Amino acid sequence: MEIVLSIMKNEGYDEIVPDPESAEIIFINTCAIRDNAEQKVWQRLNYFWFLKRQWKANVAAGRSRSLRPPKIAVLGCMAERLKEKILDSDKMVDVVCGPDAYRDLPRLLQEVDYGQKGINTLLSLEETMREKTHAHRNYVDDVPDDVKQRRLAELINTFRETTAKIYDSQVGTVQVVLVEGPNKRAPETEMIGKTDRGHRVSFVSVPVPHTFKGDEVRKPVVGDFIEVKITKSSTASLFGDVISRTSLSRFYKNHSSEAHAVAA
């Protein structure tokens, strides 16, 4: 787990909470050679799934400090062996990650929010034939492991390149952003939110006016819609400067008018 903790620390997750109720991400590290390993994994998954469903109640009762329901990630060699069963288990798990894919954890966890909102599960391992299927019963898996790893690396690189192009194209534009909370990298000065396309945006929290005249100048708070001028991008995030607080109807009305003016 030291590798995983180091990777997550570099992403701004610098606190290990003493109880799972307050965790934003719950990692279950598995080992296939331990006695009753599979049974223990399912017991822990059931318990953590219960915590996930009880998140709002735990926050209301003061038992949780997390801003959102915890993400559950299953790691290790057992994750590879049970991946199909885990991902079929009523959306119990958000991420399944084998021991060779730990460095990709930050992207996988972000994709739970962005690209997989409906399914909310991601598989980071190389392709294998699913049990109890026609392919599993009638064909031999003769693809070498090194080929599978190469294909996986190509897929990840293609995804990153495509995402980078999409994010780069938004630099210089003004986006409407729903404020979600403080940025873990700099919680005292920065906040994060999502655009109407689900893209993560980081910005410095400063007092700004509302687009409707007469409203007081203040810092954005969770639940506000704000206009953000995008200044730079990475493969997983956008960064920008806050222009003003706004509403969805006012933002779309203003920018629709600008679009017609440009077209004319």
Side-chain angles (χ1 to χ4, degrees):
M1 283 296 291
E2 288 78 9
I3 295 176
V4 173
L5 294 177
S6 176
I7 292 171
M8 298 309 297
K9 185 175 182 179
N10 290 336
E11 292 296 312
Y13 293 89
D14 55 0
E15 181 183 1
I16 301 176
V17 295
D19 52 88
E21 287 85 358
S22 295
E24 293 190 9
I25 305 172
I26 298 175
F27 292 109
I28 303 176
N29 195 24
T30 65
C31 179
I33 63 174
R34 294 177 181 172
D35 293 338
N36 301 318
E38 182 172 342
Q39 180 181 355
K40 292 178 181 178
V41 168
W42 287 112
Q43 288 174 347
R44 292 162 74 187
L45 281 177
N46 283 321
Y47 173 65
F48 292 141
W49 176 230
F50 172 78
L51 289 184
K52 190 170 186 175
R53 295 171 62 186
Q54 293 295 312
W55 168 72
K56 288 186 178 180
N58 287 334
V59 171
R63 291 189 295 267
S64 175
R65 296 180 288 115
S66 177
L67 297 176
R68 56 185 61 85
K71 299 173 186 174
I72 300 175
V74 178
L75 313 177
C77 50
M78 181 68 78
E80 293 192 48
R81 202 180 94 185
L82 296 178
K83 58 182 178 291
E84 298 296 347
K85 292 181 180 179
I86 290 173
L87 291 178
D88 285 341
S89 59
D90 193 27
K91 301 181 183 179
M92 184 182 292
V93 175
D94 299 299
V95 169
V96 176
C97 187
D100 295 329
Y102 289 165
R103 296 190 183 280
D104 202 34
L105 269 173
R107 183 188 67 81
L108 294 174
L109 290 165
Q110 287 183 341
E111 283 305 302
V112 173
D113 289 332
Y114 303 150
Q116 298 289 336
K117 288 185 178 180
I119 301 175
N120 228 24
T121 53
L122 284 171
L123 183 60
S124 65
L125 311 166
E126 68 273 11
E127 70 272 17
T128 57
M129 289 191 295
R130 191 169 180 173
E131 293 183 7
K132 298 181 181 179
T133 63
H134 176 80
H136 186 265
R137 290 191 298 266
N138 296 280
Y139 297 97
V140 176
D141 183 359
D142 57 356
V143 180
D145 288 341
D146 61 332
V147 174
K148 293 180 181 180
Q149 291 292 340
R150 176 179 57 79
R151 290 175 178 174
L152 176 62
E154 291 174 352
L155 181 63
I156 292 173
N157 289 336
T158 300
F159 174 84
R160 287 176 173 169
E161 290 173 1
T162 303
T163 302
K165 290 179 181 178
I166 294 173
Y167 279 30
D168 286 345
S169 69
Q170 297 184 56
V171 174
T173 66
V174 176
Q175 299 289 328
V176 61
V177 174
L178 175 62
V179 180
E180 292 192 329
N183 189 342
K184 294 184 181 65
R185 292 179 181 272
E188 300 299 324
T189 58
E190 296 183 13
M191 301 190 77
I192 60 172
K194 288 194 180 75
T195 69
D196 53 356
R197 296 181 180 180
H199 297 159
R200 184 176 185 266
V201 179
S202 298
F203 57 92
V204 176
S205 179
V206 295
V208 290
H210 197 282
T211 51
F212 184 79
K213 294 181 179 180
D215 200 3
E216 84 275 6
V217 175
R218 63 168 173 80
K219 291 184 177 181
V221 297
V222 175
D224 279 347
F225 285 103
I226 58 175
E227 293 185 358
V228 178
K229 178 72 174 291
I230 305 302
T231 57
K232 63 178 181 178
S233 70
S234 69
T235 56
S237 297
L238 296 169
F239 305 87
D241 298 326
V242 184
I243 300 173
S244 63
R245 303 186 337 269
T246 188
S247 65
L248 285 179
S249 59
R250 185 170 294 275
F251 176 84
Y252 291 127
K253 179 180 179 180
N254 291 344
H255 286 268
S256 175
S257 299
E258 291 174 6
H260 287 306
V262 172

